[in-house]
Every structure is written in structure tokens, then in C-alpha cells.
Amino acid sequence: MTTQQQVQHLYWRAGFGPRPEDVASGLSVRKALRQLLRDSEKVELLDSPEMHYQEPLTPFIAVSRGAGTPQAAMVTTPDQTAISSGMEQPAPVAPLSGRSAVQRGRNQPPLLRRQDMTPQQRKMQNNGIRQSFYAMNTGWMRQMATSPAQLREKLTFFWHGHFACRVRRPDAALHLNNTIRQLALGKFGALLLAVSKEPAMLQFLNNQQNRKQHPNENFAREVMELFTMGRGNYTEKDVKEAARAFTGWGYNGRGEFVFRDKDHDEGSKTFLGRTGNFNGEQVLSIILEQPRTAEFITTKLYRFFVNDTPNPAHIQPLAQAFFKSNYDISALVEQMFSADWFYDAANVGTRIKSPIELLAGIKRTIGLQLVDDKPLIVFQKALGQTLFEPPNVAGWVGGRNWIDSSSLLYRLQLPSVLLRNAEFNVALKEDENDIAPQVSKADRTFRQQVKTTVRLAPVQAMLAKTPAAQQAAKLSEFVLQAPIRPDNLALIQKAADNAPAEGRLRAMVTSLLSLPEYQLM
């Protein structure tokens, strides 16, 4: 494998793909990794005025696990009780520059319940909320494709699926996303604690209803099963005891975390073999003391960044170092990307791109921009992955589940639609995760021309010294991570030869992006 192929592999796994200028720079793998780490030190929070849905009286609503219909939460009065801490508190998320606390999703006014609104008011509210989520979605897609902090954005995307959360309030979802972004490369313990105290997560997993004498086990169970240790490493008794420790954790009417000591169970608890008057922070600390937690997180990161099939010989040393480093995420991924086996043929061009990685990769590689970003939402829904709308608390399954007969067809059609300003026609399935899930087929049908611009000059510069007869092969080495088959290369070359001179490069790029091999990274 050439150095260029190794660097491209790194950029696809640690980010959303290489640009022509990344390849032209001639960096070694070590220098490319160092640059990725350095560029990702800066935190660029996701924000724009369009993302902030402002309504004086709106309920804080989430879709509970396993449910398809919104559930309104009763508004509580603020409680300024101090939080007793058994573990190090994470640094607060940095304020968005130039934006008020209200715009950041804090200090929200009392919220009106949906049953108190007319049908027309509910429809207007649904539309306003949907538009805010669309702005968050497309804004994040833009940031994935253009941000220098590629590794931070890629890890934010990973944690977005790991700490899967689906809420109705855009401000709560945005704050959770930015909390994850800020802590994505830090210590896992700080990230875990911060996410556990996010109102969006507490609402989604019902901990707002977790009170002494009437504990709700949802939050405690998912913290152990999906966020830290994995199933089989705790007992039902541990779930019940942890739920007691998290009693009193909630949020107030302004969307701020609060600890209500009157609702907290102060009795003795036995959790993972330890006995004491534990609170939520102390339960999280005990979880982090388990080597199994480091192994679980490392395995999940390995499956995301390296290979869908875990290799214990690779994972065990990583997990042990991760545990000894006090769960330093940055050190873990640097060790992973520095390993010789990361660049083995078995790990290159073998992972199916998720819909988001596919779309962001096309945008980044050829500088593609849509005149109207809304079709990006349609593409995501058609392909089975919509940002801020995970299917459930377990997140997206991924792997071969990304591909079925209809989604593969859309994937292969997409480059022609985007690079030829063609019409895209799809009747989306009913989506229980949408703000208004029950809509007619006509309202779910998208049929319109998708207008775009692309930046092919850097690609042209990359091919400037390559003879015309060899350009298709040269370009395939940049666009594809999996080797191109000779018959496909012949088809690409034929498409280029048959195109007018001014459209030759576009024809080659379009044909390469339309190959099944482009679905792999």
C-alpha cells in the first residue's frame, strides 16, 4: 500500500474523506495524523440563528424509548440545590460567541402543553420545530464537510450514535450535541457525566420521573447496557440500586440540570459489589473503575474506526492503555491510528459508509454545495440515517444493515443527481421518528431537480501531469478505497472519452462515485 493510500485511509476513518489538496501536500501518515490531532484541538460549536426555535410557550417534549408519539413533560419549578459530586466535574460547555443564554437553549420560559393548543397552533409548532432541526442537520453536514477539526467532528458523530438521544426540543438537542462536541476528545468520564446530566438525555430516558420510593430504571439500565459496560456485566439488582442513586436527577423549566435532594434516595445501596450511600456521580465513578468499561468503549470505537469485526488481539492492549490513561479518548484514537494493523489490507476499503459518511464525503471530496440544502434531509431519510433522529436509544446498527435493494439503488443514483443537477424522485416511508410521523404519501413524496455546484479545479490540478489515457486510473486511486475492477476502469475511461472536453472530468468523477466500490471506505 502506498503512502497516499494510507493517508487517504486515515482521512476517511478519522474524518469525512480526503480533499485533493490533502493528497497533493505529500504528508506522511505520521504528519497527517499529527495535523488531524492539532486541527481538532479547536472547538467549533454548531450554531446559527435558524437552529433556535423561539416560541414563548412550548412544551419540553421528548419521544420516550420505544414510543412513536410525543409525550409532554410537566414543567417543574427551578431548584438550586447543590449537586453533591463523587467524581470530577467536566468543564461547562463554552458559551456560543455573541449569543444569549436563551439562544443557547438555557433559561427557557415556562412551557405550554400541547393539549392546551389548537390544531392550527400545533401544526405551526411542528413546522417551526422541524425547520430548526433541519437547520441543525444541514448545518452539521456542512461542518462535517468543511471543518478543519475533522477528527473532532468524526468523534462527535460517533458519540452521537453511542449516546443516542431523540428529543422534540431543538434547543435541548443542540445543547447535547455541542456538549458532546466539546468533550469528544477529552476524558470519557467527563463526557459520560456531562451527557448524563443533559436535560435531553434525562428526559429521553425518563429520569425526570425517577424519585425515591418510585424509582424509574430506564436511565440507569441504559447507562450500563449501552453507554459503559455492556449487557452481561451487571445484574438486575445493580440496575435497581443504580436507579436509586440517580433519584432526584432532573431539569427545570429553563432546561437546566437540577438535583432535587427531596426526591433522592439517601439509603444504603449495594452496586457492583460495593456498598454505601451512593449518589449518581459515585455510581458513574464505580462504573469507570471496571476494566470492562474500557474494553466495551474501545471495542465500539474499534468497530467504528477500524473494522466491523472486533479483533481481541488489537483491542485488549488498546483497552488496557485506555483504562490506565484514565480514559483519555485522544490518546486512544492516536494509538489506534498509529498501529501498523490499522493500515492492513483487511481494514482498508472494507467498511460500508453510513449515509452520513457517504453524503459528507461527497461534499468534502469535490467541494459540493447544494443551492438549497433541504434535499440533504430527503437523502438521509431515503438512505436510512437522519441526524438527530436515531431509531432508538441503541442508535444505528450500521454495517451491512445500511444496504438493501432500495437504499443501494438510491446510493448509486445519488452522484448523477448531485453532479448533473438531475431530478430526484422518492416516496419516503412513514417515519415514526419525525415531528409529524403520520402524513400522506403525497406529502412524503419528493420530486424536484437538485441544483448544486462543485469544486473540480483541485481535482483537475491533481491530474495535471497525468496523460489523458491514464487519468481515469489515477483518479480512481484517489476516489476509491477499494481497488477498481478492470472492467469498471474501462467503463470509466469510455465515459470520459465520449464526453465533451469541458465535461470530461465531471463525467469521470460522476462515474467513479456511482460505482459500488465507492460505498466502501
Side-chain angles (χ1 to χ4, degrees):
M1 183 181 297
T2 66
T3 298
Q4 176 183 323
Q5 290 172 322
Q6 290 179 325
V7 170
Q8 289 178 181
H9 175 58
L10 175 64
Y11 275 109
W12 266 117
R13 298 298 179 89
F16 293 93
R19 301 165 301 175
E21 50 264 46
D22 296 324
V23 173
S25 65
L27 290 177
S28 66
V29 174
R30 179 173 295 181
K31 288 183 178 179
L33 176 56
R34 193 177 304 139
Q35 181 173 307
L36 279 168
L37 290 164
R38 184 172 58 249
D39 289 345
S40 291
E41 290 175 358
K42 182 180 179 181
V43 180
E44 181 186 357
L45 297 182
L46 184 64
D47 185 42
S48 76
E50 294 78 18
M51 299 177 192
H52 299 277
Y53 172 59
Q54 295 296 320
E55 184 183 55
L57 298 172
T58 310
F60 183 78
I61 300 172
V63 179
S64 298
R65 181 187 181 188
T69 55
Q71 296 181 354
M74 296 299 293
V75 176
T76 58
T77 57
D79 186 334
Q80 302 301 323
T81 303
I83 302 169
S84 58
S85 176
M87 65 187 298
E88 181 181 354
Q89 297 288 324
V93 173
L96 304 182
S97 176
R99 307 204 70 82
S100 70
V102 171
Q103 290 170 313
R104 293 199 306 272
R106 288 293 182 258
N107 299 320
Q108 294 294 300
L111 306 174
L112 183 68
R113 296 174 300 178
R114 285 172 62 77
Q115 56 263 42
D116 294 334
M117 296 188 292
T118 66
Q120 181 62 24
Q121 288 173 324
R122 287 195 292 269
K123 184 176 181 180
M124 292 175 62
Q125 183 190 76
N126 284 343
N127 185 63
I129 291 173
R130 184 186 291 109
Q131 295 308 315
S132 294
F133 271 111
Y134 285 177
M136 289 160 55
N137 182 310
T138 57
W140 192 8
M141 286 288 298
R142 193 178 311 115
Q143 199 153 305
M144 288 176 178
T146 62
S147 173
Q150 282 289 286
L151 180 55
R152 184 173 294 277
E153 289 303 319
K154 194 62 174 282
L155 273 164
T156 302
F157 178 55
F158 167 78
W159 296 121
H160 182 66
H162 179 78
F163 294 112
C165 180
R166 187 175 70 247
V167 293
R168 184 176 167 83
R169 279 295 294 259
D171 53 341
L174 181 60
H175 197 274
L176 171 60
N177 186 262
N178 278 324
T179 293
I180 290 173
R181 177 171 287 101
Q182 177 159 317
L183 302 174
L185 276 161
K187 296 295 182 69
F188 176 70
L191 174 63
L192 174 65
L193 179 59
V195 169
S196 296
K197 291 185 173 181
E198 281 288 321
M201 187 62 74
L202 292 168
Q203 171 64 29
F204 184 52
L205 296 182
N206 308 115
N207 209 75
Q208 183 78 337
Q209 291 81 44
N210 188 14
R211 300 177 175 87
K212 64 181 178 181
Q213 299 179 349
H214 299 284
N216 186 299
E217 298 174 5
N218 278 8
F219 178 77
R221 183 180 303 278
E222 306 310 354
V223 162
M224 289 186 281
E225 178 181 332
L226 298 174
F227 299 167
T228 58
M229 294 188 295
R231 187 176 298 177
N233 294 290
Y234 56 88
T235 67
E236 285 300 306
K237 177 68 172 176
D238 290 324
V239 173
K240 295 180 184 300
E241 297 292 86
R244 292 175 57 209
F246 288 117
T247 50
W249 281 35
Y251 55 87
N252 61 25
R254 296 192 298 270
E256 302 164 325
F257 173 83
V258 293
F259 174 70
R260 299 184 175 88
D261 57 351
K262 294 181 179 179
D263 290 330
H264 178 64
D265 185 336
E266 297 180 352
S268 179
K269 308 165 189 76
T270 299
F271 177 69
L272 295 178
R274 300 267 298 275
T275 300
N277 181 15
F278 300 134
N279 58 30
E281 290 92 341
Q282 290 167 328
V283 160
L284 294 179
S285 291
I286 293 172
I287 289 174
L288 293 171
E289 291 171 7
Q290 314 303 311
R292 176 56 189 160
T293 299
E295 184 178 342
F296 179 81
I297 299 301
T298 302
T299 300
K300 198 162 183 180
L301 283 161
Y302 183 93
R303 296 185 67 175
F304 181 83
F305 284 113
V306 184
N307 199 300
D308 289 327
T309 303
N311 186 328
H314 298 160
I315 292 171
Q316 285 301 324
L318 291 173
Q320 291 169 7
F322 189 40
F323 186 74
K324 291 178 181 178
S325 72
N326 194 24
Y327 293 89
D328 189 322
I329 301 167
S330 181
L332 172 61
V333 295
E334 182 176 6
Q335 183 181 356
M336 189 181 297
F337 298 142
S338 300
D340 290 340
W341 47 255
F342 179 74
Y343 302 93
D344 286 348
N347 297 324
V348 178
T350 55
R351 278 196 65 238
I352 298 174
K353 294 171 184 172
S354 70
I356 297 301
E357 289 168 326
L358 177 69
L359 290 166
I362 294 175
K363 285 173 62 64
R364 182 168 179 80
T365 301
I366 58 175
L368 181 137
Q369 296 184 34
L370 282 73
V371 175
D372 177 7
D373 279 338
K374 290 296 174 62
L376 287 172
I377 309 291
V378 177
F379 299 151
Q380 291 174 44
K381 290 183 179 296
L383 297 178
Q385 185 180 39
T386 307
L387 292 174
F388 298 101
E389 294 183 13
N392 50 53
V393 70
W396 294 277
V397 178
R400 294 183 179 275
N401 293 279
W402 291 129
I403 302 292
D404 59 29
S405 57
S406 61
S407 64
L408 180 58
L409 178 62
Y410 292 139
R411 280 172 175 256
L412 300 180
Q413 289 177 343
L414 196 57
S416 292
V417 170
L418 294 172
L419 275 80
R420 293 173 178 162
N421 291 331
E423 181 180 270
F424 188 68
N425 187 1
V426 60
L428 298 172
K429 300 175 183 177
E430 285 193 321
D431 185 1
E432 69 172 15
N433 299 331
D434 202 353
I435 300 300
Q438 296 179 338
V439 295
S440 66
K441 184 176 181 179
D443 290 333
R444 287 184 279 110
T445 298
F446 178 90
R447 184 174 184 176
Q448 69 178 53
Q449 182 185 21
V450 180
K451 297 182 180 179
T452 65
T453 60
V454 293
R455 195 168 61 95
L456 293 180
V459 181
Q460 184 71 64
M462 185 177 68
L463 300 175
K465 297 181 180 180
T466 304
Q470 300 172 21
Q471 286 183 350
K474 175 75 172 178
L475 188 57
S476 72
E477 293 174 358
F478 169 68
V479 173
L480 305 178
Q481 287 299 97
I484 189 170
R485 299 200 308 270
D487 54 335
N488 279 340
L489 181 58
L491 290 174
I492 303 300
Q493 188 66 55
K494 183 177 180 180
D497 294 341
N498 291 338
E502 67 276 9
R504 190 172 187 276
L505 179 59
R506 185 181 290 259
M508 281 195 295
V509 171
T510 304
S511 298
L512 283 167
L513 295 180
S514 302
L515 290 176
E517 290 93 325
Y518 187 70
Q519 306 307 313
L520 301 172
M521 68 174 186

